[in-house]
Amino acid sequence: MTSSMTHGMMHVVMHMMKANDGSLKPITVRIPEEEYERLKKYATARDISLNSVVAEAIAQYEARVERREAISRIRAFQRRLRDARKQGSDSVELLRQIREARANQQLLDDERSADHEEAGNRGPGAGSSGSSSSSSSSSSSSNSNSNSSGSGSGSENGRWKP
C-alpha cells in the first residue's frame, strides 16, 4: 500500500463508502500480524479507519484493473491502425515523400538558377547551356569579336570570363 494517494482517489473512496452505507457487509480478513500492525500505523498516521484503508486498497486495485483494460483497448486499436496502414499509405510516409520531392525540386531550381546566372555572366549571345554552339555565336551578329569556334570558353571581346 502506498503512503501517498491522490486527492481524486480519496474522493472516490469516500464516495464509495457513502454510497454503500446502507448495504455494508462485514468480512473477516486474516493477515499476518506484522501486516496488521503496518495497516494500523498507516491508518493512524492518516487519521482514517482500517475500513477506509481497505476501501482505498480496493479503489486502487479497481483503478489498476481499469488502466490495464484501457491499455489493452489502446493496443488493440493501435494494431487495427497498423493493419489499416498496411492496406493504405501512412501519413508519416506521405510526409516523407513530400519532403523528398520538395528537396529534389529545390535542387533542380538551384541548378537552374546557377545555370541562368552562369549564362548571364557570359554575356549576351553566349547561350544558356555550358557548351556554346555555333548557333549561339551566330545569334550575336552585333558582336564582331565573339568566339565562333564553339569551344564554350566564354570569351567576349577578346577577354575570358570564368
Side-chain angles (χ1 to χ4, degrees), residues 3-101:
S3 62
S4 63
M5 183 178 199
T6 63
H7 178 70
M9 181 69 72
M10 187 61 170
H11 178 71
V12 169
V13 170
M14 299 308 287
H15 183 68
M16 282 177 30
M17 290 176 69
K18 287 179 185 175
N20 293 329
D21 279 345
S23 61
L24 294 178
K25 301 284 183 187
I27 62 168
T28 301
V29 178
R30 301 205 186 278
I31 58 174
E33 192 171 334
E34 293 173 357
E35 288 181 22
Y36 174 75
E37 291 301 324
R38 278 198 309 253
L39 286 174
K40 274 181 64 173
K41 284 180 185 176
Y42 178 78
T44 304
R46 306 229 17 238
D47 196 28
I48 58 176
S49 68
L50 282 175
N51 288 338
S52 296
V53 172
V54 172
E56 282 180 14
I58 292 169
Q60 288 176 355
Y61 172 77
E62 288 175 346
R64 187 172 40 235
V65 168
E66 288 176 11
R67 278 193 304 271
R68 286 180 185 158
E69 290 172 355
I71 289 170
S72 177
R73 288 190 304 269
I74 289 169
R75 287 184 178 149
F77 179 69
Q78 288 173 334
R79 278 192 298 273
R80 287 194 307 270
L81 281 178
R82 276 193 297 271
D83 292 343
R85 277 189 252 170
K86 289 177 185 175
Q87 296 169 359
S89 56
D90 184 8
S91 60
V92 174
E93 177 64 22
L94 290 174
L95 288 173
R96 187 192 64 74
Q97 290 173 356
I98 290 169
R99 287 186 194 124
E100 188 175 301

Side-chain angles (χ1 to χ4, degrees), residues 99-119:
R99 287 186 194 124
E100 188 175 301
R102 285 182 183 166
N104 290 338
Q105 184 62 41
Q106 183 67 35
L107 287 174
L108 290 173
D109 291 346
D110 289 347
E111 288 176 5
R112 287 184 192 134
S113 66
D115 287 348
H116 180 69
E117 222 175 82
E118 186 178 314

